[in-house]
Amino acid sequence: QLRLEESGGGLVQPGGSLKLSCTASGRPASMAWFRQAPGKERELVAAIRWEDGNTFYAASVEGRFTISNERAKNTAYLDLNSLKPEDTAVYLCAASRYWRPILTAMPTRHNYGDWGQGTQVTVSS
């Protein structure tokens, strides 16, 4: 089991930017960011295969958010740009020590067994 520690998040105005970080206690096979707004289902935001760096994005964030990793630090990052009020949610980091997504299918929450506590992102003027 991997322990995950998140940082970043906060309050930002529409059009602004934030950077989230998630550090795992060991090397994962893949990591991802999900988000959950009040009354809504948890949804995938972005995911990354650890060794080859292939990435996956939800259509709602593609072109605005970027997921990346720093393998030496077992850390994944999520750069959030051009933020909109509808991006407001708790953002959760997820990881799998052994599973990595195939290139032709989007990961789901059921693929990840290790989760962080979540960090709040609020986009408001």
Side-chain angles (χ1 to χ4, degrees):
Q1 186 175 6
L2 294 171
R3 295 187 308 277
L4 304 176
E5 184 172 346
E6 299 149 331
S7 63
L11 173 64
V12 64
Q13 293 185 341
S17 298
L18 283 173
K19 187 180 185 85
L20 308 181
S21 301
C22 178
T23 299
S25 58
R27 178 178 291 273
S30 65
M31 290 182 76
W33 289 95
F34 288 76
R35 67 185 180 186
Q36 189 162 17
K40 294 189 176 181
E41 293 288 318
R42 187 172 298 187
E43 62 175 358
L44 176 74
V45 176
I48 187 166
R49 291 176 15 148
W50 205 249
E51 294 304 321
D52 61 20
N54 278 286
T55 57
F56 305 78
Y57 293 97
S60 58
V61 306
E62 191 150 21
R64 300 188 298 123
F65 292 7
T66 303
I67 189 170
S68 60
N69 65 347
E70 190 169 355
R71 287 191 289 274
K73 295 184 177 181
N74 291 332
T75 298
Y77 304 97
L78 185 68
D79 287 291
L80 301 80
N81 298 304
S82 302
L83 281 160
K84 305 175 181 179
E86 52 263 43
D87 294 318
T88 296
V90 174
Y91 284 69
L92 301 108
C93 177
S96 175
R97 188 182 284 274
Y98 304 111
W99 180 84
R100 62 176 188 170
I102 61 174
L103 297 181
T104 55
M106 290 291 285
T108 73
R109 59 180 295 183
H110 303 293
N111 297 130
Y112 295 96
D114 301 316
W115 292 84
Q117 292 299 308
T119 185
Q120 178 70 44
V121 171
T122 302
V123 185
S124 175
S125 55

